[in-house]
Amino acid sequence: MEQKINYRILQEKILKTLDAGKPPRLLLHSCCAPCSSAVLEYLSQYFSITVLYFNPNIYPEEEFLHRIAEQKRLIAELPCKNPVSFEEYGWQQERFYTAVKGLEDIREGGERCFACYRLRLEETARLAAEGGYDYFTTTLSVSPYKNAAKLNEIGEELAEKYGVQHLPSDFKKKDGYKRSIELSQEYGLYRQDYCGCIFSQRERQCVQNK
């Protein structure tokens, strides 16, 4: 039986090697403010962070804009040791539908989600390399509904492709998810009841209507 990798331990080993006097630059993909809250609180001790909001999967546009507003508000209000900046991309829904073409009927948590992970992580890795960042990673692994092993597998593959270091992560570990809920309550953050895409929204509605 293949042994599971503890990505949190791998991350901690990397963090111990960093120079506290000169924090490296991290491009952090974020799906929403609640998921980024505990991650920013933790990683801003070690990095100068740019939060990248590239989420063409989010539906509808009002939801997309609402999440951006909450992300900006959290960054403005959350005390962080090192600087945290924000960079956003437009809705770009066509990129998501192209990425998941043929996978529309697969249930949440399967290959459609993996294609969505790749879409967002690849853009993050590409921009990290282009912008001269030292590392890239995503907040997605803070959610118990996201596949941390798959996220890290994709991240390592893209690190090799683009020549920029991927920071391994499983942010839900060591009460990371619990802390994100606490911070969401403390800052009154909007917590959506579906992952974000039209397919996850439909699944949620079907469950609610049963």
Side-chain angles (χ1 to χ4, degrees), residues 91-168:
W91 198 24
Q92 301 186 34
Q93 272 263 284
E94 71 286 347
R95 294 184 65 178
F96 170 67
Y97 292 124
T98 298
V100 303
K101 188 174 182 179
L103 304 171
E104 294 88 347
D105 295 329
I106 294 178
R107 296 206 55 169
E108 188 172 356
E111 291 297 327
R112 187 185 69 238
C113 291
F114 298 164
C116 185
Y117 295 171
R118 181 174 293 278
L119 171 65
R120 292 184 281 174
L121 274 169
E122 179 142 21
E123 189 71 358
T124 306
R126 185 186 70 79
L127 291 169
E130 187 180 281
Y133 287 85
D134 300 293
Y135 290 87
F136 76 96
T137 195
T138 177
T139 65
L140 287 168
S141 70
V142 79
S143 168
Y145 304 106
K146 298 294 185 291
N147 187 320
K150 180 58 70 172
L151 286 164
N152 282 280
E153 176 188 315
I154 294 170
E156 290 302 316
E157 180 186 326
L158 294 172
E160 186 173 340
K161 178 178 178 180
Y162 290 96
V164 60
Q165 295 183 85
H166 171 251
L167 183 69

Side-chain angles (χ1 to χ4, degrees), residues 53 57-67 91 93 97 194 196-198 201:
Y53 190 87
N57 57 308
I58 304 301
Y59 178 88
E61 188 175 12
E62 290 79 8
E63 176 77 15
F64 178 86
L65 296 173
H66 193 175
R67 293 194 193 193
W91 198 24
Q93 272 263 284
Y97 292 124
Y194 67 105
C197 73
I198 190 171
Q201 185 189 54

